[in-house]
Amino acid sequence: MELQFLGAATTVTGSQFLLTTSRAKVLIDCGMFQGNPHETIRNRVPFPYDPAEIDALVLTHAHLDHCGLIPLVVARGMRSPIFATGGTIELATLVLLDSAKLQVEAAKRDARFERRHPDRAARVDRAAERDLQLASDEAAASSSEAAEEERDPEVVLRSQLPEIETSIDEPLYTEADAQAALRQFRSVGYGREIQVAPGVRATLYDAGHILGSAIVRLRVSDGDTERVVVFSGDLGRPGTPIIRDPTPVSDADYVVVESTYGGREHEPQAEATRLLAEVVRLVADSRGVLLVPSFAIGRTQEVVWQLDRLLDEKRIPRLPLYLDSPMASKATDIYRRHPEYFDEEMRALLAKRDDPLDYPGAVVANDIEKSRAIASAPRPHMIIASNGMLTGGRVLNHFRNLVDDPQAVLLFVGYQGQGTTGAHLQSGARQVRIDGVLHDVRCQVRSISGFSAHADESELLGWLRNFAKGRRLRRVFAVHGDPDAQAAIAPKIRALGYDTHIPKWHERVTLD
């Protein structure tokens, strides 16, 4: 019985884990690497397994870094069912079709650029090839090192990964590929154990991260051996609006837990709300613009919820709000269709016929012309646009217009991955490159961590403490975190009495 870490290992994105027994092969998540180029090039490295041999895929939730490579693995031959909650399936439909569309459009733009600037395009290609080789070497080194530690030659990854299966200037998959993958999804409710593969039974519990997000508990039988393996997915925060809190789980032999905010604590919810109100009033007084980079699913809905509550409580003036993310608008409609996932506070508001997902008079920019028109809108106003790390999307157009404006406030409300534009700005950078052009940063840059959809360190440790109440844990694997975050939280997990390991990319471990 083995577990291989194919993503989210000493990095935040690309979540993918392969469970192998003598009877079955099961994937947990199949996410896309996101952020800086050294990470995203890993999406081009071939899967270190035959997709046709996968018996099932269990998906924790619909964020791209957890589901984004599903169309690719299906296109490569996986014909097995993909198990997820109903809410996750609806959101994943939106996410995967959008991802395919954006990739095809990007490939066309790249082709036009290459025709017009062949010399510059060649330099970009060489840099990407170098990143790919680095990624391939890292995968091979991680697996070989793990093999040496385990003294088992069967865990050695091929010393040389084969040629990439898609050119670096081609889309990973198309909308037709995404549609084909979506036909393999199967809906699973919370709390009901089902058999997903021979000897592998899965139960999904509410992770409290986004609508439909799940903690995955696998009960795995192989011969006379049975092991329980729990995957936290992305854990939400207790007390977060709209959806329920993460479910306590106490029974496991092995736990694979996220560590995004290892070493860090979020502000209390009340303080985060106060800071948001303060920024809105600041923008109103200066007749400026508030720009909030926000991921379309989860974060946007919560920020709108908070703005609506602040307005209702008369703690902020009513500024025009522009929602420049067609995906966010569609995701909000999906949220509205699934009240069964809501917490009691949200249900009470809906019972009063109050829609806290709808800021009064909000303008949704569904097409690019409406998006561009926001730049000339009367001030003061607020803009929420994706994506949340300033690595792409319509938010970059707004940021380009506002980066040198002292009356503009750039407000981060979520995690900024290492090497991203958002992380550079959070660290105090006074210059930033946008589409290859260097800009001075004159806008104000602020951050609020209390709206994060990820549990902070103390909340992660609190969730892990529940396992002391059940069977004795054999090991905790810390994943889905940058190296600094994992180094910070690992000793604290060990202090709970649990053997703790930080796996490397492509490392295999035996679940003995």
Side-chain angles (χ1 to χ4, degrees):
M1 195 181 296
E2 289 184 342
L3 186 63
Q4 188 172 16
F5 299 85
L6 303 177
T10 64
T11 188
V12 172
T13 62
S15 179
Q16 185 178 183
F17 313 103
L18 175 62
L19 177 73
T20 303
T21 73
S22 64
R23 303 170 63 192
K25 292 184 177 181
V26 176
L27 283 176
I28 299 85
D29 286 347
C30 191
M32 185 177 285
F33 290 96
Q34 297 176 281
N36 62 62
H38 180 62
E39 293 293 329
T40 58
I41 199 67
R42 298 184 189 203
N43 295 320
R44 305 284 174 177
V45 174
F47 299 114
Y49 53 82
D50 181 354
E53 295 180 356
I54 298 299
D55 296 287
L57 192 159
V58 185
L59 178 60
T60 61
H61 65 285
H63 277 149
L64 198 65
D65 62 322
H66 290 256
C67 72
L69 291 187
I70 288 178
L72 183 60
V73 77
V74 170
R76 294 287 178 264
M78 190 188 82
R79 298 292 177 263
S80 56
I82 302 166
F83 297 97
T85 67
T88 290
I89 292 173
E90 283 201 48
L91 289 173
T93 301
L94 177 64
V95 168
L96 294 177
L97 291 174
D98 183 73
S99 172
K101 178 183 176 183
L102 292 176
Q103 288 182 61
V104 171
E105 291 175 351
K108 291 178 180 177
R109 286 196 305 271
D110 290 344
R112 289 195 298 268
F113 177 83
E114 186 171 349
R115 287 194 299 270
R116 294 171 184 168
H117 309 282
D119 293 340
R120 291 171 63 190
R123 289 198 297 272
V124 171
D125 285 351
R126 286 195 297 271
E129 292 287 1
R130 285 195 299 272
D131 281 342
L132 175 67
Q133 189 58 53
L134 286 170
S136 298
D137 291 346
E138 184 178 339
S142 295
S143 185
S144 297
E145 183 178 329
E148 185 176 339
E149 290 175 358
E150 298 288 343
R151 301 183 183 278
D152 182 356
E154 292 298 316
V155 302
V156 181
L157 185 69
R158 293 186 296 272
S159 61
Q160 276 295 32
L161 289 168
E163 292 294 321
I164 57 173
E165 297 172 300
T166 56
S167 169
I168 56 176
D169 56 0
E170 292 179 359
L172 288 165
Y173 51 84
T174 65
E175 289 183 71
D177 294 326
Q179 290 282 12
L182 290 166
R183 288 193 285 272
Q184 294 176 212
F185 276 74
R186 304 289 183 270
S187 180
V188 180
Y190 288 136
R192 183 169 65 90
E193 187 180 66
I194 62 165
Q195 179 167 309
V196 296
V200 182
R201 303 186 67 83
T203 309
L204 306 187
Y205 299 101
D206 197 334
H209 176 62
I210 62 171
L211 189 88
S213 60
I215 298 161
V216 175
R217 179 184 185 271
L218 297 183
R219 187 160 59 90
V220 188
S221 299
D222 196 15
D224 296 331
T225 302
E226 180 176 283
R227 296 284 179 262
V228 174
V229 189
V230 171
F231 299 81
S232 73
D234 286 357
L235 282 177
R237 304 190 62 204
T240 297
I242 305 175
I243 57 177
R244 293 185 291 263
D245 292 350
T247 305
V249 183
S250 59
D251 181 35
D253 294 293
Y254 298 93
V255 173
V256 180
V257 65
E258 73 134 308
S259 55
T260 310
Y261 278 92
R264 285 185 283 179
E265 305 287 333
H266 299 317
E267 305 110 344
Q269 190 74 40
E271 176 64 6
T273 305
R274 185 193 70 77
L275 291 171
L276 178 62
E278 179 182 282
V279 172
V280 173
R281 291 194 298 267
L282 171 69
V283 168
D285 292 342
S286 66
R287 302 197 62 78
V289 175
L290 174 60
L291 175 61
V292 182
S294 179
F295 286 105
I297 298 175
R299 199 65 43 78
T300 293
Q301 288 74 31
E302 182 179 350
V303 172
V304 172
W305 190 97
Q306 296 288 1
L307 289 171
D308 184 69
R309 295 300 90 204
L310 288 171
L311 187 62
D312 188 59
E313 295 167 6
K314 297 181 172 52
R315 295 172 62 185
I316 59 171
R318 181 171 170 175
L319 300 188
L321 174 62
Y322 296 91
L323 297 173
D324 195 7
S325 173
M327 183 190 290
S329 177
K330 294 174 184 176
T332 299
D333 290 338
I334 293 173
Y335 268 65
R336 290 190 179 103
R337 290 200 294 271
H338 286 280
E340 69 273 18
Y341 294 115
F342 294 164
D343 61 17
E344 292 184 5
E345 181 181 11
M346 185 69 171
R347 289 172 181 270
L349 290 171
L350 291 173
K352 297 177 183 177
R353 298 188 178 182
D354 187 2
D355 187 352
L357 295 175
D358 184 16
Y359 182 89
V363 176
V364 179
N366 283 324
D367 56 59
I368 196 63
E369 288 76 17
K370 288 183 179 178
S371 175
R372 290 169 179 160
I374 296 172
S376 57
R379 296 185 175 199
H381 62 256
M382 304 180 290
I383 307 168
I384 299 176
S386 60
N387 69 35
M389 295 186 195
L390 290 176
T391 56
R394 292 186 183 179
V395 70
L396 285 179
N397 296 325
H398 299 296
F399 181 51
R400 187 185 298 106
N401 294 333
L402 298 170
V403 64
D404 63 351
D405 184 347
Q407 270 67 56
V409 177
L410 178 68
L411 178 63
F412 291 110
V413 292
Y415 179 78
Q416 304 301 306
Q418 286 187 353
T420 63
T421 302
H424 289 312
L425 289 163
Q426 274 193 331
S427 66
R430 300 314 302 165
Q431 287 189 318
V432 64
R433 197 172 296 278
I434 308 172
D435 293 335
V437 179
L438 197 63
H439 296 263
D440 291 330
V441 179
R442 296 189 178 91
C443 66
Q444 301 177 58
V445 179
R446 297 198 177 195
S447 299
I448 301 176
S449 70
F451 295 136
S452 174
H454 289 268
D456 64 18
E457 183 178 84
S458 63
E459 291 160 346
L460 287 170
L461 295 172
W463 184 79
L464 284 170
R465 284 190 185 94
N466 290 295
F467 291 95
K469 304 171 186 175
R471 70 171 76 191
R472 181 70 179 178
L473 263 185
R474 293 168 178 258
R475 209 172 205 189
V476 173
F477 300 101
V479 298
H480 205 292
D482 289 320
D484 291 348
Q486 295 185 316
I489 198 171
K492 296 168 187 175
I493 299 175
R494 292 188 185 101
L496 298 178
Y498 306 146
D499 180 27
T500 305
H501 180 61
I502 300 173
K504 297 181 176 65
W505 187 41
H506 280 224
E507 182 179 342
R508 294 188 191 195
V509 297
T510 300
L511 306 181
D512 52 18

